Amino acid sequence: MTNERRSGSVSGTSRGGHPIGVLDGDGIGKEIVPGAVRIVDAAVESMSAPRIDWQRLPFGRDALDDYGDAVPAHTMAALAELDAWVLGPHDSASYPEELRGRLTPGGRIRKEFDLYANIRPAKALQGVKAVSPTMDLVVVRENTEGFYADRNMFVGSGEFMPTPDVALAVGVFTRRACERIAEQAFRIAESRRRHVTVVHKTNVLRLTTGLFKDVCTEVGERHPSVSVAYEHIDAVTAKLVRSGEDFDVLVAENMFGDILSDLTGELSGSLGMAPSINASDSKVMAQAAHGAAPDIAGHNRANPTAVLLSVAAMLEHLAAGDGPSEFAHVGGRIRSAVDTTIASGVGTADIGGLASTSEFLETVTAHVVRGA
Ligand code: IPM
Ligand code: MG
């Protein structure tokens, strides 16, 4: 690890390798994030892929104690120079009362860098009991506006109380945001089973989710090989439980996508194993969907699967953009090593296994090095 400032282009792979940020975060983040970094290094080395120059950045409780801010200004400034980073979980519910009314640390980073696409795959793994054992879909969630009033304003909050007994929230839907998230969804579908389900609620929210739906339709016309279906948010939850294997890519506004991705994460195994990335057109952040689990922190019991699969998705995303093409193979190698590990019966306690975090990581490392 190095905190050394690099000169020149940060997207190049010369000198110290491809720079990627690492923000361990709180609780179990301190075990699973460094574990994931070691596995990526093992994969990179055994595949002779371009090296990664990991840049550790203060974030979370430690940063709050040391710098008075869970996302210090110098962390934000360093992220601005990077095209990728791994964000560990934060336990912001335990931070001082006066900070709790604010946007969460992860939310601040998403907003600062306009990470508008929250991409959340839900794929059942062999060896993990799942309600939908054949589910293999991706929720593409709009991450910047919609019904989440804590983040849909440039200044201030879209949630307010004119009197102590009246609370209002403003939803925001813009053509630009609908268009760019739809574009992501259709592109992802083109690399998969070529089907997009547009999630809306136009029987009630005619103008807002109506604009979302209409713009998705327009974008879909630019991707003629992808078929499109439309579902109301309430109806789609029932269909996901009944026949989740029928879905490929679902695109949804912020709140619908937040709720749907918890549902699909759990249906495909466990929300605790659900990966995600948050992306703009130039940056990508790996962030497991789960929290900091302070109750088991430091006990060597946490499941690193979600962060490993998030990091794999981040590397694949970099490779699909301007990053080194070899990163796609590194991501794939990590993904199959996790699959093989769990299918062989090595799992942490949350999925009914006996392995500790370090035993799980060791087994994944062995498969990564062996290439199986
Ligand atoms: C998520 C979470 C966050 C969100 C919370 C923790 C602020 O639910 O990433 O899914 O609402 O975006
Ligand atoms: Mg959520």
Side-chain angles (χ1 to χ4, degrees), residues 38-318:
R38 288 196 301 273
I39 285 177
V40 176
D41 281 341
V44 160
E45 193 176 324
S46 66
M47 301 175 79
S48 305
R51 269 199 57 230
I52 292 172
D53 172 18
W54 299 103
Q55 308 207 347
R56 294 188 137 259
L57 299 169
F59 168 69
R61 181 84 225 188
D62 292 348
L64 197 56
D65 294 343
D66 293 347
Y67 306 103
D69 189 349
V71 195
H74 63 285
T75 290
M76 280 294 194
L79 294 178
E81 300 292 314
L82 295 168
D83 62 2
W85 60 89
V86 187
L87 188 81
H90 51 71
D91 182 20
S92 45
S94 74
Y95 296 176
E97 184 66 43
E98 63 270 22
L99 298 178
R100 271 182 245 159
R102 287 220 243 144
L103 193 55
T104 62
R108 279 171 61 199
I109 296 177
R110 287 182 193 169
K111 190 164 179 171
E112 175 74 20
F113 298 110
D114 196 27
L115 303 175
Y116 67 84
N118 188 197
I119 301 169
R120 296 189 151 166
K123 185 173 191 278
L125 300 181
Q126 204 196 325
V128 181
K129 279 205 194 80
V131 175
S132 300
T134 52
M135 178 174 275
D136 179 5
L137 59 78
V138 181
V139 173
V140 179
R141 165 191 176 191
E142 202 292 319
N143 224 8
T144 64
E145 53 173 40
F147 294 125
Y148 276 169
D150 63 339
R151 62 199 77 171
N152 65 9
M153 296 282 148
F154 172 54
V155 177
S157 168
E159 198 180 27
F160 49 96
M161 293 180 81
T163 80
D165 302 317
V166 177
L168 302 174
V170 178
V172 176
F173 287 73
T174 63
R175 173 171 288 278
R176 173 174 175 262
C178 297
E179 192 167 2
R180 63 186 183 172
I181 198 66
E183 188 62 39
Q184 284 284 336
F186 281 96
R187 278 204 209 144
I188 291 170
E190 279 169 346
S191 67
R192 293 176 45 95
R193 302 197 305 277
R194 296 178 181 272
H195 187 72
V196 168
T197 303
V198 177
V199 179
H200 64 91
K201 185 68 184 171
T202 51
N203 54 353
V204 176
L205 297 157
R206 290 174 186 278
L207 302 181
T208 48
T209 72
L211 180 64
F212 183 87
K213 183 182 171 200
D214 290 348
V215 173
C216 286
T217 303
E218 288 167 28
V219 172
E221 283 160 7
R222 305 204 289 257
H223 299 269
S225 71
V226 180
S227 58
V228 189
Y230 301 90
E231 294 285 355
H232 284 92
I233 177 63
D234 47 350
V236 82
T237 59
K239 289 190 182 171
L240 281 164
V241 174
R242 195 187 310 141
S243 51
E245 66 281 0
D246 291 350
F247 292 84
D248 182 19
V249 175
L250 295 106
V251 62
E253 68 84 35
N254 209 341
M255 177 161 63
F256 294 168
D258 188 17
I259 297 169
L260 273 184
S261 57
D262 271 25
L263 175 69
T264 56
E266 191 63 25
L267 287 172
S268 60
S270 140
L271 181 54
M273 290 169 63
S276 86
I277 56 171
N278 298 263
S280 68
D281 292 334
S282 58
K283 294 184 186 292
V284 56
M285 170 170 90
Q287 181 187 26
H290 63 67
D295 51 327
I296 59 161
H299 288 100
N300 203 17
R301 282 178 56 197
N303 187 345
T305 300
V307 70
L308 281 168
L309 296 179
S310 302
V311 169
M314 173 192 77
L315 293 170
E316 288 162 353
H317 187 92
L318 279 174

